[in-house]
Amino acid sequence: MDIARSEDPDIGIPATCRICEARQGVVCGALAAAQLRELSRHSTRRKVDAGREIVAQGEEVTSYSNIMDGVVKLCKVMPDGRQQIVGLQFAPDFIGRPFVPESTLSAEAATPAEICVFPRGLLDRMIADTPELRHNLHAQALKELDAARDWMLTLGRRTAQEKVASLLYLIATHAEPETTSSTAFDLPLSRAEIADFLGLTIETVSRQMTKLRKQGVIRIENNRHIVVPDMDELERLVSA
Amino acid sequence: MDIARSEDPDIGIPATCRICEARQGVVCGALAAAQLRELSRHSTRRKVDAGREIVAQGEEVTSYSNIMDGVVKLCKVMPDGRQQIVGLQFAPDFIGRPFVPESTLSAEAATPAEICVFPRGLLDRMIADTPELRHNLHAQALKELDAARDWMLTLGRRTAQEKVASLLYLIATHAEPETTSSTAFDLPLSRAEIADFLGLTIETVSRQMTKLRKQGVIRIENNRHIVVPDMDELERLVSA
DNA sequence: CGTGACGTTGACACTAGTCAAAATTTGTGG
DNA sequence: CCACAAATTTTGACTAGTGTCAACGTCACG
């Protein structure tokens, strides 16, 4: 009956997908039930330890993934070992670059993560067949471009203190959707990773964090857990 | 006759477009003859003085443009006036952001430039109608994303000398397609703009340029004209 | 020939980096 | 559950690299 149909939009959708956090994400949100069924048959859900590489810089890419849980960092490294994190991705973001054979950067789990891996050929075919999917990927690319350019401003023109405040603000707004004036969260990154994201050294990051703590802008519990009593104060320090 | 048709692919194409540098560009390369005619009827070619703004940060966008000649810089400015150039665009690049009402950055002519301006609504309609155009815009977005992330590495992890070398290398490879070992070109940016691109001060840029000159890596004629006797040497200093 | 914009150079200050050591947290095996 | 080892973070002393401020040069233009 029409009523039954309109009341259950999940008819024909695999059970795994129904409870999936990325069901409405960039990729799966654009697929029809039949496509979801086929994709789900060939995908594997996989746990990734923190620090484990998902895609290697300069390597041929044979699969794409959805982040189901955790945080993934996108890195560039120089031959001499200097490193820069050029992006952070959160669930349910999509990892992968259509149209290009190999990746110019590496993707690595920053926290223990869970990803859903799609074979490249299959998803490429669905991209070719599905205008809405293409549109979603285009929109995500533009979103990432904006994020990258915002961060360029941070890297080029902000002081160490502003950089650290920017990072805390970024994590806070991505981890905690609620915009109450007080916030608490766990840092998904080590001090070394924060340094690689901000273009600083570990020591400078540590010193700036201590300074923010002594100023009362944040409280630090067990290194990773941060409490921000007043988000407005933190935002002020970003001077955006 | 078939022969005539295959020998002249420009049948039905406006005269202005036939001699246009951007004819095979991201936008016009994807359009059919009829679309080109319509777009050409509603476009205006315009000269823009160096330093003149094309799109303002935070302003509603009512038009898109093709760069026909010259170099355009994409800038972000902070409330206190600190500024960062987040991208350089060369002819025949496309300027504009589909899907979004207003620009998060400003576009400004770095050199005297010539642009071809399209009304937004018309091009939006063509984007909706033309899969190849959407694909080209998507591909350009990905290219810009790669460029932005490459530059993040430069901003975050390279020294002043490496930064200046990176910029010279970037300009040299975009201005002079030939890859002979020796190259000469005009800088499209003032020292102040170079500083804003590299996250440095004017003085540091100036000092590093003199240093490169004294090392024999470059020759400087009239401030803007640069000669690179040995590109490999310059590339080595980028330590990419 | 003067004027103003742009670029260079110098002296000095200060931010962030380097190197080293101590403190804290995390993980492991008994 | 505790003790110890390893990893991570913090802190300190010192240095190097950029920034700041100021003066001087140079070039284009009226």
Side-chain angles (χ1 to χ4, degrees):
Chain A
M1 304 232 115
D2 278 333
I3 292 170
R5 251 185 265 151
S6 64
E7 275 181 21
D8 188 355
D10 281 355
I11 279 185
I13 297 209
T16 358
C17 294
R18 283 188 214 179
I19 54 158
C20 175
E21 304 87 323
R23 168 77 181 84
Q24 300 304 330
V26 166
V27 173
C28 301
L31 297 178
Q35 291 176 304
L36 268 183
R37 280 197 303 277
E38 189 184 358
L39 189 58
S40 137
R41 249 202 317 281
H42 295 92
S43 324
T44 56
R45 220 180 146 109
R46 193 155 77 75
K47 284 189 192 299
V48 185
D49 293 338
R52 176 79 60 206
E53 208 165 50
I54 297 170
V55 180
Q57 184 171 352
E59 200 179 73
E60 195 194 345
V61 180
T62 59
S63 65
Y64 299 126
S65 330
N66 261 341
I67 305 175
M68 315 305 304
D69 189 50
V71 178
V72 172
K73 55 179 180 166
L74 306 178
C75 302
K76 287 196 167 262
V77 307
M78 293 169 62
D80 62 9
R82 279 178 286 177
Q83 198 167 346
Q84 176 70 43
I85 296 183
V86 297
L88 281 187
Q89 312 236 266
F90 301 83
D93 284 345
F94 172 78
I95 303 176
R97 170 67 62 98
F99 316 138
V100 206
E102 65 180 42
S103 175
T104 60
L105 42 77
S106 73
E108 192 173 307
T111 61
E114 205 166 338
I115 61 178
C116 187
V117 183
F118 315 121
R120 174 162 186 153
L122 177 58
L123 195 62
D124 278 343
R125 243 169 293 133
M126 291 189 179
I127 292 172
D129 294 341
T130 319
E132 193 182 342
L133 177 52
R134 285 199 299 273
H135 177 269
N136 284 358
L137 289 172
H138 189 172
Q140 158 150 337
L142 292 174
K143 202 186 76 185
E144 288 180 29
L145 181 56
D146 279 339
R149 285 174 169 163
D150 280 343
W151 210 250
M152 285 176 73
L153 180 63
T154 298
L155 288 173
R157 288 304 184 197
R158 286 200 231 266
T159 64
Q161 166 136 4
E162 290 170 334
K163 285 181 177 182
V164 172
S166 298
L167 178 87
L168 294 175
Y169 188 80
L170 175 76
I171 305 286
T173 49
H174 277 77
E176 283 277 321
E178 48 174 315
T179 326
T180 55
S181 70
S182 152
T183 321
F185 54 90
D186 280 309
L187 280 177
L189 303 177
S190 69
R191 298 292 186 272
E193 290 170 318
I194 294 175
D196 281 340
F197 197 20
L198 296 173
L200 298 171
T201 58
I202 304 181
E203 294 92 330
T204 301
V205 171
S206 179
R207 278 188 257 267
Q208 295 301 335
M209 298 265 287
T210 320
K211 204 167 154 195
L212 288 174
R213 179 168 53 72
K214 287 183 176 162
Q215 289 173 359
V217 180
I218 57 173
R219 288 206 311 277
I220 306 179
E221 292 159 13
N222 287 337
N223 288 338
R224 290 285 189 126
H225 191 77
I226 305 288
V227 180
V228 183
D230 180 3
M231 278 297 281
D232 293 341
E233 178 65 11
L234 182 60
E235 194 175 358
R236 212 180 48 71
L237 289 178
V238 175
S239 60
Chain B
M1 305 226 114
D2 278 332
I3 292 170
R5 250 185 265 152
S6 63
E7 274 179 22
D8 188 356
D10 280 355
I11 280 185
I13 298 208
T16 355
C17 294
R18 283 188 214 180
I19 54 157
C20 174
E21 304 86 323
R23 168 77 181 85
Q24 300 303 329
V26 165
V27 173
C28 300
L31 298 178
Q35 291 175 305
L36 269 183
R37 279 197 303 274
E38 189 183 359
L39 189 57
S40 138
R41 249 201 319 279
H42 295 94
S43 321
T44 55
R45 219 179 146 111
R46 193 156 75 77
K47 285 190 192 297
V48 185
D49 292 338
R52 177 78 60 205
E53 206 166 50
I54 297 170
V55 181
Q57 183 171 352
E59 200 178 75
E60 195 193 346
V61 180
T62 59
S63 65
Y64 300 126
S65 328
N66 261 342
I67 305 174
M68 316 303 305
D69 189 49
V71 179
V72 173
K73 55 179 180 166
L74 307 178
C75 301
K76 286 194 168 261
V77 307
M78 293 169 61
D80 63 7
R82 280 177 286 176
Q83 197 167 348
Q84 175 69 42
I85 297 183
V86 297
L88 282 187
Q89 312 237 267
F90 302 82
D93 284 344
F94 172 77
I95 303 176
R97 170 67 61 97
F99 316 137
V100 206
E102 66 178 42
S103 175
T104 59
L105 42 77
S106 74
E108 193 173 305
T111 62
E114 207 167 336
I115 61 178
C116 187
V117 183
F118 315 121
R120 173 163 185 151
L122 177 58
L123 196 60
D124 278 342
R125 243 169 294 132
M126 291 190 179
I127 291 172
D129 294 340
T130 319
E132 193 183 343
L133 177 51
R134 285 198 299 272
H135 177 269
N136 284 358
L137 289 171
H138 189 174
Q140 161 152 333
L142 292 174
K143 201 187 77 185
E144 287 180 30
L145 181 57
D146 278 340
R149 286 174 169 164
D150 279 344
W151 210 250
M152 286 176 73
L153 181 62
T154 299
L155 289 172
R157 288 305 186 196
R158 287 200 231 264
T159 64
Q161 166 135 8
E162 290 170 335
K163 284 180 176 181
V164 172
S166 298
L167 178 87
L168 295 175
Y169 188 80
L170 175 77
I171 304 286
T173 50
H174 277 77
E176 282 278 321
E178 49 173 313
T179 325
T180 54
S181 69
S182 153
T183 322
F185 55 90
D186 280 309
L187 280 176
L189 303 178
S190 69
R191 298 294 186 270
E193 290 170 317
I194 294 174
D196 281 340
F197 197 19
L198 297 172
L200 299 171
T201 58
I202 303 180
E203 294 92 332
T204 301
V205 171
S206 178
R207 278 188 258 267
Q208 295 301 335
M209 299 264 287
T210 348
K211 204 166 153 196
L212 289 174
R213 179 168 54 72
K214 287 183 177 162
Q215 290 173 357
V217 180
I218 56 173
R219 287 207 311 277
I220 306 178
E221 290 160 13
N222 288 335
N223 288 337
R224 290 285 188 127
H225 191 76
I226 305 288
V227 180
V228 184
D230 179 4
M231 278 297 281
D232 294 341
E233 179 66 10
L234 182 60
E235 195 176 357
R236 212 179 48 72
L237 290 178
V238 175
S239 60

